[in-house]
Amino acid sequence: MSPDSPTGRAEVGGATRLRRPVEEADDQEPTYGDVLGDSIAALRGVLRDRVLQAGLLIVLAALLLKVYVLSESYFVEDDFLFFAGARTSELAPAYLLELHKGHFMPGGLFLVYVQTAFGPYHWASAAGTMLLLQAASILAFLRLLWELFGRRWALLVPLTVYALAPLTIPVLGWWAAALNAVPLQLATVLALLWTVRYLRTGTPLFAWWAGGAVVFGMLFSVKALFLPALALVLAVAFLYPGGLLTALGHAFRRHRTYWLSMVAITVGYLLLYLVRQRASSSGEGASVPESEVVVQLVGRMLGEVFPTGALGGPFQWGPITPAGGLVDPPGVVLIGAWAVLVAIVLASVRVRRASWRAWALLAGYLVFVDALPTVIARGRMYGEVGSDPRYVADAALVFALVLALAFLATREERSREWVGNAGEERGRSRLQLLRHTRGVWVAATSVTLVYAVSASYSTYTYTETLSGDRQREYLANVRESLEDVPGDAGLYSRPVPTDLVLEWNGPRRLSSYVLAPLADREVAARMYTPEESDSAYVFDDDGRLVEAAPISWANAFRPEEGEECMESWDGLMSWNVWEVGGVAQVATIGYTSEEDADLVVVVGEQEVRTELPAAPEGGFWYVPVSERDTKFTLFTDAGKTCVTWASLGQLAPASQVAEQEAAAGEGAEEDGSEAAGEDE
């Protein structure tokens, strides 16, 4: 495209001058009100611009697609842990500054706390907030493109690439991931936008806003640590004049205070993060990576997930996790993605010599912002982690920006070109831009439409991997059950299904922790600290509160055959057991007694004294005991109590236990029949 003259017709969105002429400068710097007033005045005319109208249609289409994804998604995995943690915490620095699996996200935890206080597990408000932030980031990206390159139809290409990017879909559909990724995208765009505006106008207000955008991003994601560096690289490569070293010198001569302030923000945040990492009690986060894991992880992230996702793939998602599909593209798709990416790079280099700077920026971002932090945080786990698209979701934004920088000249570059070529022949343009020809427009439009269709199809197929209906039904059953809880029943813990919270989260996946935010204070207290009771209830795998029973195939003891009661030594009984422990562990005592009787339950160092209510016809008494040990001991009143059952462990739905016992009984009968047949 041939450069427009900065002295020619005015461009919508501002002039192309780098700084205001001295004679036009005001005596005082513009205030916030002045800037806002000018923006509103400019917006009135811009809204009638066809380029903007087309851009808004693209944004609307993208948002409708994202609404469809969110309608099929729901809370899962870390979402439950966030709500449960907020329910048991106070809004204090200790809560906000705590690391979650290596993530330092006080802003995200604040949103979690507010959401928990006003609407725990309310999907519409939680997802709606993220959707609004995503819409703001796309609109701000359009404004950034307009600011960098001026008004031109070509802006719609990178806008489409970012607005419809499949890489941004999985993090949006998973609330816990969206709390990190979506605000980071908005912060990235705003930091770059206001940095560009500050460098062009010298208005300190834009410098403050840029710093505020960086800090905003740091409140939600550790990756925001690299935003100042990203802004500096963009400015040096495409805004300041001269080669890279010369441009870097210009940056620190002209705007030394600004860039040093950004360095100070970066260093301060890094120190704070390291302090919180040391103080974290979770034991999760940074670790020493293993070389084999790192190679596999980075290979999947940068060699498979990014190229396929950035170019509209992967079309089909898998393997499928509770949070949605991962990216494991077939060989044909992967080879095709790399071929297209290489073709784009070569075409841009042919069209514009400076495009190599843009691709170098993208490569550096992928390595230092996406791969390196992921390696530090997940490099000891397993390489398949690299198949998760959320680790490179923010790269979709940078890829769209780099695509624009690779083919379009910024206003600074065009201005310098006109000044440098004032006495030269037009054919010697150093920018070496593509001309406005019909063939170019047809090609660009066709490629953009193909990308839009591919990205939309990939987004659609991603929704097929979501199980939002399952989680939605589960929590609906929980809410219904908690409306009518028996007043004297014991509410005991058991793990929620793995498609809600994975096993490796340990005690954090227990129903007493995960589901308590949905209960009122009294019921929640009974769930957190269950007491002894003659009836037991647990939540089944469908989220319904049902009668519970102890399992009979582990740590369970009965009277010897032909005996009615357990044999004891003057009321003392003791058994060797498998170590279980934890808040979900319950000692279950089956007994008969004509009157109330004393009972002492001992496991390890924990001793629980309780009273068995009279049960002439027989009954059960449930005693929570969390100690972990290999000895299980009871002290009873031998003259009053006949113990008919004793077990130690987690409870399960009574119907489920009955089915498993019946199945075990049938299996034993079949084994016995086969053995008898062999004897005959």
Side-chain angles (χ1 to χ4, degrees), residues 59 62-63 66 133-143 159 162-164 189:
V59 174
L63 292 179
K66 296 177 193 301
L133 290 175
Q134 184 74 82
S137 66
I138 298 174
L139 290 171
F141 183 69
L142 174 58
R143 182 66 185 89
L159 176 64
Y162 173 52
L164 298 178
V189 178

Side-chain angles (χ1 to χ4, degrees), residues 524-540:
R526 290 165 59 188
M527 295 172 68
Y528 285 133
T529 55
E531 298 178 350
E532 301 92 10
S533 177
D534 60 355
S535 60
Y537 287 82
V538 295
F539 287 95
D540 66 11

